[in-house]
Amino acid sequence: MMFRKLYWVTEQVDSKGNSHVSGVYTSIPELIRHGLSWQEGDCHLRITLTKLDSIKEPFGTWCEPNFNGLGERLEEFIQTDEFTKEHCQMLLEALNGRAAKAA
C-alpha cells in the first residue's frame, strides 16, 4: 500500500448542522472498529477522508444514512493501492449495517 498519510475524521452532526469531531483514524479497520459505533442523541455520522498536513480540500465527505458516492470514490484509492478492496468492502458493509439498524 502507498503511504500518503490519509486520515478518516468522524463527526457527530445535530439537526441544526452543528458538529463536533468524535474521532480521527488512520486506517479503515480502525475506523470500523472505533469510529462507527459512536452515536450521540439525535446526531448523525459524517465521515471525511483527508490528507495529513494539507491545506487542500478533503478527498470527500459523506453523511448518514446513505454515504452517497463513497463506494465510487474509494475505487480511486484501490487503484493506487492506498486501500485494499477488502477493507473498502468491509467499510461499505459496516456503513450499510449501521444504516439498517437506524431504519
Side-chain angles (χ1 to χ4, degrees):
M1 257 191 260
M2 178 192 297
F3 185 71
R4 197 195 314 197
K5 299 181 183 176
L6 300 179
Y7 282 76
W8 294 95
V9 178
T10 59
E11 297 173 85
Q12 297 296 310
V13 183
D14 68 19
S15 58
K16 295 179 182 176
N18 300 312
S19 71
H20 69 274
V21 172
S22 52
V24 178
Y25 306 96
T26 58
S27 71
I28 289 175
E30 184 183 25
L31 171 64
I32 294 168
R33 194 168 33 255
H34 302 292
L36 301 186
S37 60
W38 181 259
Q39 185 70 36
E40 186 175 294
D42 68 343
C43 291
H44 66 271
L45 178 67
R46 177 167 59 200
I47 59 174
T48 299
L49 180 61
T50 191
K51 184 177 177 185
L52 177 65
D53 298 330
S54 176
I55 60 170
K56 294 182 181 179
E57 293 290 318
F59 292 110
T61 299
W62 302 273
C63 299
E64 275 184 315
N66 301 323
F67 300 95
N68 291 332
L70 176 59
E72 295 82 8
R73 185 68 166 123
L74 289 175
E75 286 297 321
E76 172 188 334
F77 299 99
I78 293 170
Q79 297 303 315
T80 58
D81 291 327
E82 291 173 276
F83 297 136
T84 66
K85 185 175 183 96
E86 294 78 17
H87 283 172
C88 292
Q89 188 61 40
M90 286 171 39
L91 175 58
L92 295 173
E93 288 173 5
L95 293 173
N96 286 335
R98 183 179 164 90
K101 284 181 187 176

